[in-house]
Amino acid sequence: TGHLRESGGGSVQAGGSLRLSCGTSEYIFRSACMGWFRQAPGLERDGVASIHTERDDTYYADSVKGRFIISRDNIKKNTLTLQMNNLKPEDTATYFCAAVPLGFWASAAACYTRLRDATFWGQGIQVTVSS
């Protein structure tokens, strides 16, 4: 705990936007595989998006494709962001940042799968979307 620090959650109406950030150390950020998961009450934790931080290769769950963007923050060093647009009530959940070491040539899809056994997890941050 403490290796990944999420920020930016909150409440918004459907159709609105939120931006989540995940700050960490350079050592972890260069581990190559980072991403976001979410968990709604009573449901399993599901992958949202992943990124290979060395190559900027990204992967998204079908439910968020075209609405969410995962990226490295261009201003804040060693920070991962998740820009969430056109939010829907079904996006309501606790969002978790995760990181796991992965080789340079691994794909973002492999990263997405590998993150389920992530080495590092954030404590989670709440996102609530009202209709």
Side-chain angles (χ1 to χ4, degrees), residues 15-98:
S17 298
L18 284 173
R19 184 180 176 91
L20 302 182
S21 293
C22 174
T24 186
S25 66
E26 181 175 1
Y27 170 75
I28 291 175
F29 195 77
R30 291 178 65 86
S31 69
C33 177
M34 295 188 71
W36 293 91
F37 280 72
R38 67 186 181 186
Q39 186 168 20
L43 298 179
E44 292 185 353
R45 189 175 295 187
D46 285 332
V48 174
S50 65
I51 185 169
H52 191 298
T53 58
E54 293 290 290
R55 298 188 290 110
D56 284 339
D57 188 19
T58 58
Y59 186 91
Y60 297 91
D62 287 342
S63 59
V64 305
K65 275 182 186 176
R67 299 189 298 122
F68 290 12
I69 301 171
I70 186 171
S71 65
R72 293 184 291 171
D73 193 303
N74 290 327
I75 298 175
K76 297 178 183 177
K77 193 176 179 181
N78 302 325
T79 299
L80 182 72
T81 66
L82 183 69
Q83 177 66 41
M84 303 184 294
N85 301 318
N86 191 22
L87 282 160
K88 303 176 181 180
E90 51 264 42
D91 294 319
T92 295
T94 300
Y95 283 70
F96 298 87
C97 180

Side-chain angles (χ1 to χ4, degrees), residues 104-121:
F104 182 83
W105 295 111
S107 68
C111 168
Y112 183 83
T113 300
R114 184 73 177 86
L115 275 173
R116 292 194 172 275
D117 298 315
T119 307
F120 304 101
W121 287 94

